[in-house]
Amino acid sequence: MIVSGTLYRGLIERYRARLPIAADTRVISLCEGNTPLIPLENLARSVGRGLSLYAKFEGLNPTGSFKDRGMTMAVTQAASEGSRAIICASTGNTSASAAAYAARAGIRCFVLIPEGKIALGKLAQATIQGSVVIQIKGNFDDGMRIVKDMASVAPVAIVNSINPYRLQGQKTAAFEIVDALGRAPDYHCIPVGNAGNISAYWTGFSEYAAIQPKTAACGYCVDTCAFPFPAVIATRPVMVGYQAAGAAPFIAGHPVAEPETVATAIRIGNPQSWDLAWAAVRESGGWFDSLTDDEILHTQRRLAETEGVFCEPASAIAVAGLLRDIARGRIADGSVITCTLTGHGLKDPDTAIKQSQGPILQVAAENEAVKRAILDHL
Ligand code: F0G
């Protein structure tokens, strides 16, 4: 048992004072959060204009996506209320995360996923972590509708982002960004699917902006807190949300019946946090925009090739949109910009391999053959 030291123990312990959690609640955690804010120096150099670009790489959470931030809160709450089972609809990442936290809490997990439309890694996670996987012949929106009905007919707690504890956990990513930069970014770019995450970030940035300056330790944390000084900020970023062109209800202005995109994580036509996401964009002076699958995949590859950052297609859309908005002159010169890379590239190895341009050579197991291969590709 850990009794002392500075071991990182997850976002609930780090931000406990800013989360709706009782002191005596048993925390269900996989030490999620505390993800790196990676400077995208090569990309920044190539776009110029004095811009600073950073990626909040949420793929480095325990199950490989930002969902863990919300899931630690939702499952902690569900378990503390005595729930014996949780349920979610998912395009993959929520199911992987729910399965992991349910396993840790010792409760049952049911996940509804669209048949044939979730990335391989996510399915592997949900199954090995012991959840009951229910594949439906429909899309995420069908699954969401059914899950909402199930909560009233079976003893299961919903852990989709309509569960308010999910967004409470996810807002901590905004706290971390501000704590890392010592200021708010000027713009924050983020993929939008069910629209919970953009809403959570706006809550997080807004809560930090409401903190009054203090001269000593913040007074919110327990004395052992390793992060005693939240940055005090006067500004909030412009929030920019990007959707895939085939699944872009916020650009259409209404739900989309048959969403389709290679970025299966955001293959969603009827986002549940519609009003909250619009509020984030309107209040921050931001915008929504959409990108084609080609633009998404091109940027996924570019990030991997030029920065060594391998995110899943849905995540790359944040950077794809940003680069296009920079080219279109929508981003002020000299700005500090953060992008959320929501999930790890290893989640979807099929898509990565299909479009990867690194050569795979087949040669004899001989020095001469390997030497030739090296010299040909230097
Ligand atoms: N990026 C990834 C990798 C995702 O998995 C999701 C959502 C999003 C972006 C969009 O976030 O829904 O808060 O707007 N995935 C959900 C799931 C829907 O089931 O895993 P959002």
Side-chain angles (χ1 to χ4, degrees), residues 34-44 52-61 69 173 176-177 180-181 185 187-191 201 205 299 303-304 306-312 315-320 322 336-343:
N34 202 20
T35 55
L37 189 64
I38 303 175
L40 299 178
E41 286 163 1
N42 295 328
L43 278 184
S52 304
L53 314 184
Y54 295 88
K56 181 69 171 160
F57 195 13
E58 291 288 275
L60 296 180
N61 273 296
R69 292 184 184 274
E176 288 179 16
I177 287 175
L181 291 176
Y187 299 84
H188 185 75
C189 301
I190 187 164
Y201 270 77
F205 286 127
T299 305
L303 265 170
T306 64
E307 297 284 6
V309 174
F310 181 27
C311 64
E312 66 172 287
S315 310
I317 201 171
V319 176
L322 169 65
V336 172
I337 306 149
T338 48
C339 297
T340 304
L341 299 184
T342 44

Side-chain angles (χ1 to χ4, degrees), residues 26 28-29 75-76 78-79 83 99-108:
R26 174 186 164 222
I28 310 297
S29 170
V75 176
T76 292
S83 298
Y101 285 81
R104 213 157 165 83
I107 60 181
R108 259 259 171 265

